[in-house]
Amino acid sequence: MRLDDLDPSKNVRDQGRGGGRSFGGGGGGGLGLLLSFLPMLLGRKMGCGTILLIGGAALAFLYFSGGGMQLAGDTGAGGFQSESSGANVACDTQEELFACQVLASTEQTWDKLFQQQGERYRPTTLTFYDQSGQSGCGAAQAAMGPFYCPADQGVYLDTSFFREMSTRMGAKGDFAQAYVIAHEVGHHIQNLTGVADQVRKAQGRASKAEGNALQVRMELQADCYAGVWAAQNADRMEAGDVEEGLNAAHAIGDDTLMRGAGQRPVESMFTHGSSEQRMAWLRKGLQTGNPSTCDTFAQGAV
């Protein structure tokens, strides 16, 4: 994907190794529960990847949930507000620079789409960290993968996740990386439009299986929004980009991840959607370029 002519977004921060200061805001469902058993964690809120220990440290693996669901937190005015880096010091490596350019592209795209609806787009903040950090939803760990925190309306990313995607999951290519970031921005769109709040309230009244099903629809909508962003930037797409994105979506489907972990896929435990669902909704966004087609909550949509 050709983004090298774009100035990197200024809505970025870099916490470096170990995170920096502790932020205010609500704790995030499952953020502190990195080490546990598979049946306990599959139904919990988590980031793009979570280290799971089954039967002790001898059987550890990385569970990538691809474009992780947004972590629970206080979305009120009292939540921590991320600071922008006017000097752009956060974009000082090749991987970070690309992520900053992707973010800049999403800002341009969603600002235009919001204006078409008579609304104003408020951009998210992208925060880089190295191995561990802090968010408005609590601690951040590299094993979580990228995630969105509604408490401070920020996306959090350890760019080492991209290397894990490429080497462990076979999801290679710059567009695969861009898709992950655009997916997290999709969660920000859900937060701005009020969808995220509605789903959280519904989950509070639902059974675990019903709550998981609602979360799947959230994740698939974020996939579709990522596709919309890409379609709106079709002139920047290169040969093979669509295939890279669909391959990444397949690699991070719940059924594929469960099989890779030696587990039998159980649909009621899905929190992000099957590989086929994730590819289908990313493809829908790519084909239409219209966010109104991303209503995964419509009856029979999934």
Side-chain angles (χ1 to χ4, degrees), residues 58-231:
L59 189 56
F61 62 93
L62 283 172
Y63 171 72
F64 295 100
S65 57
M69 69 177 66
Q70 59 182 349
L71 298 168
D74 177 14
T75 58
F80 175 82
Q81 297 298 312
S82 296
E83 301 170 4
S84 297
S85 173
N88 247 1
V89 295
C91 309
D92 58 354
T93 69
Q94 183 176 355
E95 289 177 325
E96 287 188 0
L97 176 59
F98 180 71
C100 292
Q101 289 170 324
V102 172
L103 185 65
S105 178
T106 66
E107 290 168 352
Q108 293 177 4
T109 299
W110 287 106
D111 183 63
K112 177 183 68 175
L113 291 172
F114 269 57
Q115 283 188 34
Q116 290 173 358
Q117 299 299 317
E119 302 288 343
R120 183 176 67 88
Y121 176 64
R122 301 189 304 276
T124 183
T125 297
L126 174 61
T127 298
F128 298 106
Y129 63 93
D130 185 357
Q131 298 302 311
S132 64
Q134 294 288 333
S135 78
C137 297
Q141 298 290 334
M144 296 173 181
F147 65 89
Y148 176 76
C149 171
D152 56 24
Q153 298 188 16
V155 173
Y156 289 81
L157 171 67
D158 183 331
T159 56
S160 65
F161 176 77
F162 295 143
R163 292 188 291 275
E164 297 290 346
M165 280 180 62
S166 177
T167 59
R168 290 178 179 264
M169 303 170 64
K172 301 178 180 180
D174 59 357
F175 187 74
Q177 299 174 13
Y179 153 62
V180 168
I181 297 169
H183 172 102
E184 299 306 334
V185 173
H187 284 311
H188 181 58
I189 303 304
Q190 292 170 325
N191 201 41
L192 294 179
T193 59
V195 169
D197 187 53
Q198 293 172 20
V199 169
R200 279 192 295 270
K201 289 179 179 177
Q203 286 175 320
R205 303 187 297 268
S207 67
K208 182 176 180 179
E210 292 169 340
N212 286 348
L214 286 168
Q215 191 63 45
V216 165
R217 291 174 185 266
M218 283 276 285
E219 300 300 327
L220 297 179
Q221 186 176 62
D223 280 338
C224 187
Y225 284 157
V228 167
W229 161 75

Side-chain angles (χ1 to χ4, degrees), residues 44-67:
R44 291 183 180 271
K45 300 181 179 124
M46 60 189 73
C48 275
T50 301
I51 293 179
L52 305 178
L53 296 186
I54 301 177
L59 189 56
F61 62 93
L62 283 172
Y63 171 72
F64 295 100
S65 57

Side-chain angles (χ1 to χ4, degrees), residues 33-44 46 50-52:
L33 302 176
L34 294 178
L35 304 179
S36 188
F37 296 102
L38 183 64
M40 294 171 62
L41 273 176
L42 282 176
R44 291 183 180 271
M46 60 189 73
T50 301
I51 293 179
L52 305 178

